[in-house]
Amino acid sequence: MGAPAIDTSPGNGHGGWVPYYYWPSLPAAIIFVLLFTVCGIIHIYRLFKYKGWYFIPFIIGVIFQAVGYVGRIGSHYDFYSLTWFIMQSLLILLAPALFAASIYMTLSRLAIALHAENLLIIRARWLTTFFVTGDVLSFLAQSAGGGMMAKSDPEGADRGQKIIMGGLFIQIFFFGGFIIIATIFHNRLNKSPSHVHEKIKGRKYLLTMYFANGLILVRSIFRVIEYIMPHDGPLMKNEAYLYIFDALLMFFVVVVYLVVKPYGDLFDEWKRRKDLGDLELTRSSQHNIFPGTSRDRPQEREAMTSSGDIESALSSRSFAEQKPYGGSRR
């Protein structure tokens, strides 16, 4: 039995407003709920196993995807329900921004872990801050616009659509900039004679980043085209486009980070270097507080230097001899 016809006439009981121009597919929604749920469970297990806390936004994005398609199941059974419509509209729309937040944090960690942060055109500590800030702006704009579009008020929905487009353009702008910076870093890494081993270790992470960013960028462009076109345009009238250019692409992003784990031994090295850097920063601060000690007493300065060298050597030896706790991971 076919799906009921969609009544868009003014007498449909909702002033001609309809949440969809098609009847949401139940099988398609169920399939993607299951796919994102299974992937989400695996990601959560690995999150706690490897303590890759910076990937929490990504996992929240996976949860958003799963719950968003639950909303489409609800819309199948209750077509005019604003609750189900808002749920699926907002969560599916916002999930890629959460994916992007974790991906942005990957590059600086990768550069530090490979001892190649000097090859970045932006300092590692500012790289994450800059791009995550842009991602937050995109997220907030899309959230506000999605909330307005979920209303049955035509004027409010039109304003919401424009705000969403603005948020998507912000996302595309920052994505483009990030891809350029990652490409420059990758090119410098390949050409650096002192990073021969590092470029081999980092290759799969960089290629994974390109793949995921490319898919999210294509999805964002699709969404912009979707909102530029009329409400009853072909992209809005055919549900298949949503599943091909949004659901399927985002599923590939989720899967690729299951295949290439964004945590583990290489990122343990990032944490070790970060902690060691914090220690060195603390020492420098202490010397700045008491500058007269090393200047006025050369013997004490020499002793402090020797002590620091010994401590550094012992620390390096300790790190080299210790079997990393992630060494047995597969």
Side-chain angles (χ1 to χ4, degrees):
M1 187 175 177
I6 306 301
D7 183 8
T8 59
S9 67
N12 68 355
H14 298 272
W17 176 82
V18 290
Y20 313 92
Y21 287 93
Y22 50 79
W23 205 269
S25 169
L26 182 61
I30 291 175
I31 288 171
F32 278 94
V33 167
L34 292 175
L35 291 175
F36 283 117
T37 299
V38 171
C39 290
I41 291 171
I42 299 173
H43 270 296
I44 291 171
Y45 167 74
R46 288 182 175 177
L47 173 73
F48 286 97
K49 179 180 179 181
Y50 296 104
K51 297 179 174 59
W53 308 123
Y54 80 100
F55 232 63
I56 288 176
F58 188 97
I59 293 173
I60 294 175
V62 179
I63 295 171
F64 271 28
Q65 290 280 6
V67 178
Y69 287 99
V70 168
R72 294 186 75 84
I73 293 174
S75 289
H76 175 85
Y77 289 108
D78 191 356
F79 185 78
Y80 286 101
S81 169
L82 273 177
T83 301
W84 293 121
F85 177 67
I86 293 171
M87 177 191 295
Q88 67 85 32
S89 177
L90 279 177
L91 297 184
I92 295 173
L93 179 68
L94 296 175
L98 294 167
F99 294 164
S102 289
I103 293 172
Y104 287 150
M105 288 186 271
T106 302
L107 182 58
S108 60
R109 283 162 170 76
L110 182 61
I112 292 172
L114 295 175
H115 299 252
E117 59 267 37
N118 61 305
L119 302 180
L120 291 167
I121 63 173
I122 298 178
R123 292 182 64 182
R125 67 172 60 186
W126 293 113
L127 182 68
T128 296
T129 302
F130 177 73
F131 283 103
V132 171
T133 299
D135 195 57
V136 169
L137 291 175
S138 170
F139 182 92
L140 293 175
Q142 292 180 68
S143 298
M148 295 174 70
M149 274 200 70
K151 299 177 182 178
S152 56
D153 172 29
E155 293 184 3
D158 187 61
R159 286 195 299 270
Q161 181 173 324
K162 292 177 180 177
I163 293 173
I164 288 176
M165 286 174 57
L168 289 169
F169 276 120
I170 292 173
Q171 189 176 70
I172 291 171
F173 172 79
F174 278 93
F175 254 120
F178 182 76
I179 291 172
I180 291 171
I181 290 174
T183 302
I184 293 172
F185 169 77
H186 194 184
N187 186 53
R188 289 178 174 180
L189 186 67
N190 286 334
K191 292 182 177 180
S192 174
S194 59
H195 292 87
V196 175
H197 183 57
E198 284 78 6
K199 73 179 181 182
I200 296 173
K201 290 197 298 182
R203 181 181 298 148
K204 68 177 181 179
Y205 297 102
L206 286 165
L207 293 178
T208 300
M209 194 185 305
Y210 293 145
F211 179 75
N213 283 353
L215 293 182
I216 296 175
L217 189 61
V218 170
R219 175 263 177 196
S220 297
I221 293 173
F222 159 71
R223 283 293 197 172
V224 167
I225 295 172
E226 181 184 44
Y227 288 120
I228 288 176
M229 297 182 72
H231 293 293
D232 58 351
L235 296 184
M236 288 288 192
K237 282 188 172 182
N238 193 335
E239 187 180 21
Y241 289 117
L242 172 73
Y243 283 101
I244 294 171
F245 292 105
D246 196 319
L248 193 60
L249 297 187
M250 294 307 95
F251 173 67
F252 288 154
V253 171
V254 173
V255 169
V256 75
Y257 277 110
L258 286 177
V259 176
V260 180
K261 297 190 292 291
Y263 22 64
D265 294 344
L266 187 61
F267 291 91
D268 290 342
E269 171 65 11
W270 163 79
K271 187 177 186 304
R272 183 189 74 78
R273 293 200 65 217
K274 176 179 177 295
D275 292 343
L276 190 61
D278 289 345
L279 178 62
E280 294 300 331
L281 183 62
T282 302
R283 288 176 185 160
S284 299
S285 300
Q286 289 173 345
H287 291 180
N288 290 334
I289 292 173
F290 304 106
T293 302
S294 58
R295 184 188 306 115
D296 300 334
R297 301 177 184 177
Q299 293 178 344
E300 288 187 25
R301 179 178 62 197
E302 182 178 353
M304 287 174 65
T305 303
S306 300
S307 174
D309 290 342
I310 292 170
E311 183 179 352
S312 177
L314 289 174
S315 297
S316 300
R317 181 181 177 185
S318 174
F319 281 120
E321 291 178 350
Q322 285 177 359
K323 182 99 174 153
Y325 68 84
S328 61
R329 295 173 188 152
R330 295 288 183 266

